[in-house]
Amino acid sequence: MIVTLVRDRGILRDRFFFSFPEDMRRGLAAAAPEFRKMMALDIAKSPSLAAAVQHAPIIENTPAQMRKPGLVAARRKAGLEVMVYYGGDDVNLHNEIALAGVDYVNIDRPDLFDTARRAARLPELT
């Protein structure tokens, strides 16, 4: 089971989980309450609900949400880590995400993001 593997390898801090269906999120939380959780802002509806109700220290934003002035700083001030999801191949958007200062990316084109990250001379994201 994945829960046992993550526990036995001592990699809890490096991993988190998310699921769209509520019942799966509840099941994962019951099986591994110590695992960190990620919540999409579109589901949580607000960062405070992601933290308080879902107990998720990581909040996933769309590029449009990321572009709101002060969003990344406000999330950090609230104690949340920020992840951006982008499934496209717009090089300019990959550059924008790389420069936004987010903690994690959920992307379909890691090659494009890596090029953007290197051009910005940023460290690798985990």
Side-chain angles (χ1 to χ4, degrees):
M1 182 172 199
I2 292 174
V3 171
T4 302
L5 179 67
V6 170
R7 285 179 180 145
D8 289 351
R9 299 240 169 134
I11 55 176
L12 284 173
R13 178 68 186 124
D14 299 330
R15 306 292 178 255
F16 59 87
F17 71 80
F18 168 76
S19 178
F20 284 104
E22 173 66 27
D23 60 332
M24 288 187 73
R25 290 194 304 271
R26 276 195 305 261
L28 286 165
E34 73 277 24
F35 280 26
R36 295 183 322 137
K37 298 157 190 70
M38 184 280 293
M39 178 58 58
L41 181 59
D42 287 342
I43 293 173
K45 302 300 181 204
S46 85
S48 61
L49 291 176
V53 176
Q54 302 292 339
H55 308 290
I58 304 167
I59 189 151
E60 182 182 68
N61 301 272
T62 65
Q65 293 162 337
M66 173 198 76
R67 287 179 173 137
K68 292 182 181 176
L71 180 136
V72 173
R75 304 287 193 261
R76 287 223 174 82
K77 187 175 181 182
L80 296 168
E81 294 174 275
V82 179
M83 181 164 74
V84 172
Y85 165 75
Y86 177 57
D89 57 3
D90 181 328
V91 172
N92 292 325
L93 190 46
H94 279 275
N95 290 334
E96 188 178 342
I97 294 168
L99 293 171
V102 300
D103 302 295
Y104 305 96
V105 292
N106 178 359
I107 51 177
D108 293 342
R109 293 293 309 270
D111 56 324
L112 294 178
F113 183 79
D114 189 53
T115 299
R117 180 191 60 77
R118 288 175 189 269
R121 299 177 187 217
L122 298 171
E124 287 187 43
L125 295 176
T126 54

